C-alpha cells in the first residue's frame, strides 16, 4: 500500500497550458504539503494544508492554486505554465515529530 | 532567514570507508532537525529527528548527532546500497507544534559508495 501517492509521475506540456497534479495519502495524517525540487535538488515548500485549511502559502505565483477536498487529498493546479515551472513537485503529509512522508514526485517538463 | 548548508556537495567512498556528512544551520530557535535519504527518482525518506544539542540517534550504519550550530550524519562501514542523496532540514519555531510545520531543506550531499 502506497502511503502518499501522486499522479501523474511524469508530465510534459507546452507553455501556456493548464495542468493538475493529484495527491492522496492513506496514513490518516491531518497535514499535507506541496514542495518543489529544482534542478539543483533544492526542496522548497510551496503550500501546506491542515484539515482542508490553508496554513502555509509561501511566495508562489498566483498561477499555482492548491485545493484540498478532504484531509486525505491535496491537489495542485497550475495555470499558464512557464518554462521556469519545470521541476519535480513532491506531495507530503506529516504527523507530530515523525517528519514528513513524501510521495514519489511528479516530474513536470514545460516545453 | 533560516539557512541550511550541507557539505560536502558530493562524497565518494569505498565500501567500508567510514565518513561524516555535515549540516550547519542558522535558525531563530530550532524546533527540530531532520535527516532524510533520497534515492534517484523517489521522494525523500525520513531517517531521524533531533531536538536538542547532544542528542544522538542511530539506525543501522547511520548515526546522527546534533550541536547548537550543526548536525553530523556519521556513516560507519558503508555499503553500496547506502549510495543516495542525504538531505538535512530544520524546523523553525513558526508553525511549530502540532502536526503542521514547515521544513527548510539544505541542498543535500550526494553519497556514492563504490564496491
Amino acid at each position: 500500500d502506497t502511503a502518499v501517492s501522486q499522479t501523474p509521475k511524469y508530465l510534459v506540456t507546452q507553455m501556456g497550458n493548464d495542468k493538475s497534479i493529484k495527491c492522496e495519502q492513506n496514513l490518516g495524517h491531518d497535514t499535507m504539503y506541496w514542495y518543489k525540487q529544482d534542478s539543483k535538488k533544492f526542496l522548497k515548500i510551496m503550500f501546506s494544508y491542515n484539515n482542508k485549511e490553508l496554513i502555509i502559502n509561501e511566495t508562489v505565483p498566483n498561477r499555482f492554486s492548491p485545493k484540498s477536498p478532504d484531509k486525505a487529498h491535496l491537489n495542485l493546479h497550475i495555470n499558464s505554465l512557464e518554462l521556469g515551472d519545470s521541476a519535480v513537485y513532491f506531495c507530503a503529509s506529516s504527523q507530530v515529530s515523525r517528519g514528513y512522508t513524501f510521495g514519489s514526485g511528479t516530474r513536470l517538463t514545460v516545453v | 532567514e533560516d539557512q541550511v548548508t550541507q557539505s560536502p556537495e558530493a562524497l565518494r567512498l569505498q565500501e567500508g570507508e567510514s565518513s561524516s556528512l555535515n549540516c550547519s544551520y542558522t535558525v531563530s530557535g530550532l524546533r527540530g532537525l531532520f535527516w532524510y535519504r533520497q534515492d534517484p527518482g523517489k521522494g525523500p525518506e525520513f531517517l531521524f529527528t533531533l531536538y536538542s544539542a547532544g542528542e544522538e540517534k542511530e539506525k543501522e550504519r547511520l548515526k546522527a548527532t546534533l550541536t547548537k550550530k550543526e548536525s553530523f550524519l556519521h556513516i560507519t562501514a558503508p555499503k553500496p546500497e547506502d549510495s543516495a542523496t542525504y538531505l538535512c532540514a530544520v524546523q523553525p519555531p513558526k508553525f511549530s507544534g502540532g502536526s503542521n510545520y514547515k521544513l527548510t531543506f539544505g541542498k543535500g550531499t550526494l553519497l556514492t559508495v563504490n564496491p
Side-chain angles (χ1 to χ4, degrees), chain A residues 9 30-31 33 35 37 40-43 45 48-50 55-56 58 90 94-100 102-105, chain B residues 1 4 31 34 36 38 41-46 49 51 85 87 95 97-108:
Chain A
K9 187 168 177 62
D30 289 334
T31 307
Y33 308 81
Y35 271 76
Q37 189 171 44
K40 295 184 179 180
K41 306 295 185 185
F42 190 43
L43 266 168
I45 192 168
S48 82
Y49 271 76
N50 185 283
I55 301 296
I56 298 174
E58 292 291 287
F90 286 100
S94 69
Q95 63 183 65
V96 178
S97 305
R98 293 188 61 79
Y100 294 174
F102 282 90
S104 58
Chain B
E1 186 177 322
V4 179
R31 180 72 177 88
F34 296 77
Y36 288 84
Q38 186 174 20
K42 294 188 177 181
E45 178 185 345
F46 172 73
T49 311
Y51 293 103
T85 296
L87 299 167
F95 301 117
S99 63
N100 183 291
Y101 50 92
K102 166 185 172 181
L103 292 182
T104 300
F105 282 84
K107 294 185 178 181

Side-chain angles (χ1 to χ4, degrees), chain A residues 27-64:
Chain A
L27 298 167
H29 292 169
D30 289 334
T31 307
M32 296 184 73
Y33 308 81
W34 280 111
Y35 271 76
K36 178 180 180 180
Q37 189 171 44
D38 61 24
S39 57
K40 295 184 179 180
K41 306 295 185 185
F42 190 43
L43 266 168
K44 192 168 183 181
I45 192 168
M46 300 173 69
F47 304 103
S48 82
Y49 271 76
N50 185 283
N51 273 325
K52 302 190 295 178
E53 181 184 356
L54 180 64
I55 301 296
I56 298 174
N57 185 348
E58 292 291 287
T59 308
V60 178
N62 291 336
R63 299 181 294 103
F64 290 79

Side-chain angles (χ1 to χ4, degrees), chain B residues 40-80:
Chain B
K42 294 188 177 181
E45 178 185 345
F46 172 73
L47 292 174
F48 305 109
T49 311
L50 302 166
Y51 293 103
S52 56
E55 188 175 359
E56 298 184 353
K57 288 193 176 174
E58 290 188 62
K59 181 180 179 180
E60 296 181 353
R61 294 176 292 281
L62 301 176
K63 182 169 81 171
T65 62
L66 180 65
T67 72
K68 289 186 177 180
K69 293 185 177 180
E70 57 191 350
S71 176
F72 292 93
L73 185 65
H74 307 278
I75 304 175
T76 302
K79 297 182 177 181

Side-chain angles (χ1 to χ4, degrees), chain A:
Chain A
D1 283 345
T2 303
V4 180
S5 59
Q6 296 179 230
T7 55
K9 187 168 177 62
Y10 299 98
L11 187 53
V12 180
T13 187
Q14 291 187 327
M15 284 175 55
N17 284 350
D18 303 338
K19 291 293 179 184
S20 292
I21 307 171
K22 295 185 176 181
C23 178
E24 176 181 3
Q25 55 98 0
N26 61 5
L27 298 167
H29 292 169
D30 289 334
T31 307
M32 296 184 73
Y33 308 81
W34 280 111
Y35 271 76
K36 178 180 180 180
Q37 189 171 44
D38 61 24
S39 57
K40 295 184 179 180
K41 306 295 185 185
F42 190 43
L43 266 168
K44 192 168 183 181
I45 192 168
M46 300 173 69
F47 304 103
S48 82
Y49 271 76
N50 185 283
N51 273 325
K52 302 190 295 178
E53 181 184 356
L54 180 64
I55 301 296
I56 298 174
N57 185 348
E58 292 291 287
T59 308
V60 178
N62 291 336
R63 299 181 294 103
F64 290 79
S65 53
K67 286 190 178 176
S68 182
D70 55 61
K71 75 173 191 178
H73 295 84
L74 179 61
N75 303 322
L76 183 65
H77 188 76
I78 315 170
N79 290 325
S80 303
L81 278 154
E82 300 177 357
L83 291 176
D85 298 331
S86 296
V88 181
Y89 292 85
F90 286 100
C91 177
S93 66
S94 69
Q95 63 183 65
V96 178
S97 305
R98 293 188 61 79
Y100 294 174
T101 300
F102 282 90
S104 58
T106 295
R107 182 175 294 277
L108 172 65
T109 304
V110 182
V111 297

Side-chain angles (χ1 to χ4, degrees), chain B residues 6-15 17-22 35 62 72-76 78-80 82-86 107-114:
Chain B
Q6 292 188 244
S7 62
E9 288 188 12
L11 180 62
R12 189 178 293 269
L13 300 174
Q14 289 298 121
E15 185 171 1
E17 180 186 1
S18 301
S19 188
S20 296
L21 313 182
N22 177 266
W35 281 98
L62 301 176
F72 292 93
L73 185 65
H74 307 278
I75 304 175
T76 302
K79 297 182 177 181
D82 295 323
S83 298
T85 296
Y86 289 86
K107 294 185 178 181
T109 294
L110 175 60
L111 175 65
T112 304
V113 183
N114 296 318

